[in-house]
Amino acid sequence: MIVSRSALVTILLVASLSACVRVPELDQATTDIRNIDYPALQPLPRTANTQPLPQEEEDAVQQEVAARVAALNQRASRLRNSANSQEP
């Protein structure tokens, strides 16, 4: 179905003019909404955020990596000492 150019222009013109219509009920609703006494916003408690802060997460990861490095160094030291003690 092909719509003629004049029909398309007419449809667009009617649609654009209908957007300019004043509707008193909507104007009153807008005024009412602006005058509503909204409650004050309260900050969320810290427990609502289950994700750790990036700095806290970074510190925990660094501590974990440091502990793993220390454990691996101890293991390497034990392996070196056991290899040295087994040599004839």
Side-chain angles (χ1 to χ4, degrees):
M1 176 175 167
I2 299 176
V3 178
S4 70
R5 182 173 284 181
S6 62
L8 184 59
V9 169
T10 304
I11 291 171
L12 290 175
L13 183 62
V14 169
S16 64
L17 288 176
S18 67
C20 298
V21 173
R22 303 278 297 166
V23 180
E25 294 85 11
L26 291 179
D27 291 339
Q28 181 61 36
T30 303
T31 304
D32 292 344
I33 290 172
R34 287 187 184 145
N35 295 331
I36 291 176
D37 187 24
Y38 291 102
L41 296 176
Q42 298 294 323
L44 293 174
R46 175 83 171 124
T47 56
N49 184 6
T50 58
Q51 297 292 327
L53 295 174
Q55 183 62 36
E56 294 172 359
E57 191 172 329
E58 179 184 3
D59 292 343
V61 169
Q62 285 180 353
Q63 290 175 356
E64 181 182 332
V65 169
R68 291 178 66 189
V69 167
L72 288 172
N73 283 334
Q74 288 177 354
R75 183 176 175 200
S77 177
R78 284 194 311 266
L79 288 172
R80 276 190 227 109
N81 289 338
S82 67
N84 288 339
S85 65
Q86 291 179 358
E87 290 181 10

